[in-house]
């Protein structure tokens, strides 16, 4: 059917633009660090970057399933697509927020044990900033999948083209003036803006308000507060009880406020099943 060639070509072109521009923005920071600072600075930046961004394996694995699901539901049942979109964003947030906060709080201790004191001194702040950026970037994967699954790859392509020059200028300026911490800040600002814009555009594609943008903004603010508070906590004996209290509080809020009755029952059944596994293996 020749009438399908034009929309197919248009969709493919815009998706290709996203798949070219996005990796460019991922790697340009290390190129600029190596050219403006030093190769040693690249190591101090790239190591925490690779550690933090490994957390994105979970949301992007989920996106591999969500893309065809969004493609189907947005064509057949948009209300189900909206429900799937809200639920997926919620689950990604419930996973990434506590893990990101743990990385922010214990980043210095982990780097010191793994790579030594000198490496931790140079890379701790970078790891903390990037961990917050991973929270925003992981959440952004859900509206990204929805928009492209709905056949609007032009929206994400245009957004990436718009972001590229601003990010290039920001990462160049901040790297010159603040070193690798400035590079991390530039990345954080870009992925946070990208996240918020994608959620706004996804609601436009859905044609309805999902009411998940404010919780996402609150999560990012909470992560930013964690970065500011961590230096005040001091040593590991202080961090451990404070972090344990924060995680328990988060778990309670997530259970009673974040999960529906059906989700609570499903979670309870899953926990019960997991707790019975050792007994089954023993038998």
């Amino acid at each position: 059917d020749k009438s399908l060639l034009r929309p197919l070509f248009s969709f493919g072109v815009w998706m290709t633009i996203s798949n070219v521009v996005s990796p460019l923005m991922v790697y340009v920071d290390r190129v600029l660090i190596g050219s403006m600072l030093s190769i040693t600075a690249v190591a101090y930046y790239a190591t925490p970057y690779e550690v933090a961004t490994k957390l994105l394996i979970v949301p992007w694995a989920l996106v591999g399933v969500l893309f065809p699901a969004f493609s189907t539901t947005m064509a057949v049942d948009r209300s189900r697509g909206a429900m799937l979109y809200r639920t997926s964003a919620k689950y990604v947030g419930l996973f990434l927020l506590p893990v990101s906060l743990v990385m922010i709080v214990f980043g210095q201790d982990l780097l010191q044990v793994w790579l030594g004191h000198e490496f931790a001194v140079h890379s701790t702040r970078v790891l903390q900033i990037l961990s917050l950026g991973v929270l925003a970037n992981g959440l952004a994967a859900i509206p990204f999948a929805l928009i492209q699954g709905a056949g609007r790859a032009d929206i994400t392509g245009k957004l990436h083209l718009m972001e590229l020059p601003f990010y290039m200028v920001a990462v160049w300026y901040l790297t010159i003036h603040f070193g690798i911490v400035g590079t991390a800040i530039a990345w954080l600002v870009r992925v946070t803006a990208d996240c918020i814009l994608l959620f706004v555009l996804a609601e436009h594609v859905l044609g309805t308000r999902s009411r998940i943008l404010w919780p996402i903004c609150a999560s990012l603010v909470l992560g930013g507060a964690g970065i500011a508070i961590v230096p005040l906590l001091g040593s590991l004996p202080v961090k451990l009880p404070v972090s344990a209290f924060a995680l328990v509080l988060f778990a309670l809020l997530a259970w009673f406020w974040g999960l529906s009755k059906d989700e609570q029952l499903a979670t309870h059944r899953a926990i019960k099943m997991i707790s019975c596994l050792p007994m089954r293996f023993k038998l």
Side-chain angles (χ1 to χ4, degrees):
D1 186 351
K2 294 181 179 179
S3 64
L4 297 177
L5 290 177
R6 183 174 179 178
L8 182 63
F9 181 75
S10 176
F11 182 83
V13 166
W14 284 114
M15 184 172 282
T16 302
I17 288 174
S18 289
N19 291 334
V20 171
V21 175
S22 185
L24 179 62
M25 289 191 287
V26 167
Y27 291 105
V28 69
D29 48 8
R30 274 156 282 191
V31 174
L32 291 176
I33 290 171
S35 61
M36 294 189 296
L37 300 178
S38 66
I39 299 300
T40 304
V42 175
Y44 286 141
Y45 178 84
T47 302
Y49 181 92
E50 294 298 328
V51 171
T53 53
K54 287 296 180 287
L55 297 176
L56 295 175
I57 291 174
V58 173
W60 282 108
L62 186 62
V63 163
V65 180
L66 287 175
F67 181 80
F70 283 142
S71 297
T72 303
T73 54
M74 292 300 290
V76 177
D77 186 357
R78 296 180 74 89
S79 61
R80 178 167 175 77
M83 182 275 294
L84 186 62
Y85 165 71
R86 290 192 298 268
T87 306
S88 302
K90 177 173 67 176
Y91 289 163
V92 170
L94 290 177
F95 166 75
L96 281 180
L97 180 58
V99 178
S100 298
L101 289 176
V102 168
M103 294 283 287
I104 290 171
V105 174
F106 296 104
Q108 180 176 1
D109 305 285
L110 294 172
L111 287 173
Q112 189 158 340
V113 170
W114 180 28
L115 297 168
H117 176 73
E118 183 178 355
F119 209 102
V121 168
H122 289 90
S123 298
T124 295
R125 211 60 178 166
V126 173
L127 178 60
Q128 292 170 337
I129 295 169
L130 294 177
S131 296
L132 180 57
V134 163
L135 173 61
N137 206 13
L139 287 167
I142 306 303
F144 182 86
L146 174 75
I147 293 169
Q148 290 205 337
R152 296 301 309 273
D154 61 306
I155 293 178
T156 54
K158 291 172 183 175
L159 181 61
H160 284 142
L161 284 176
M162 181 183 70
E163 290 175 1
L164 180 60
F166 291 101
Y167 178 61
M168 294 286 285
V169 172
V171 72
W172 171 78
Y173 179 83
L174 291 174
T175 301
I176 288 178
H177 290 84
F178 302 102
I180 58 175
V181 173
T183 311
I185 292 172
W187 188 80
L188 171 62
V189 171
R190 183 189 73 80
V191 296
T192 302
D194 183 72
C195 175
I196 294 172
L197 289 171
L198 281 172
F199 273 100
V200 171
L201 293 169
E203 291 190 353
H204 175 72
V205 171
L206 281 171
T208 181
R209 299 191 65 181
S210 58
R211 298 182 179 179
I212 60 176
L213 188 56
W214 287 112
I216 288 169
C217 292
S219 300
L220 296 174
V221 170
L222 181 62
I227 293 176
I229 293 172
V230 164
L232 303 178
L233 296 179
S235 61
L236 190 61
V238 178
K239 293 178 183 178
L240 286 172
V242 172
S243 301
F245 173 77
L247 290 175
V248 170
L249 180 61
F250 173 81
L252 292 173
L253 290 173
W255 181 264
F256 291 106
W257 181 67
L259 299 180
S260 65
K261 293 295 183 182
D262 292 336
E263 290 168 336
Q264 290 175 358
L265 289 173
T267 304
H268 185 266
R269 286 195 296 267
I271 293 173
K272 187 175 180 180
M273 184 186 304
I274 293 171
S275 64
C276 293
L277 284 177
M279 187 178 297
R280 291 180 181 179
F281 282 119
K282 186 177 180 179
L283 293 174

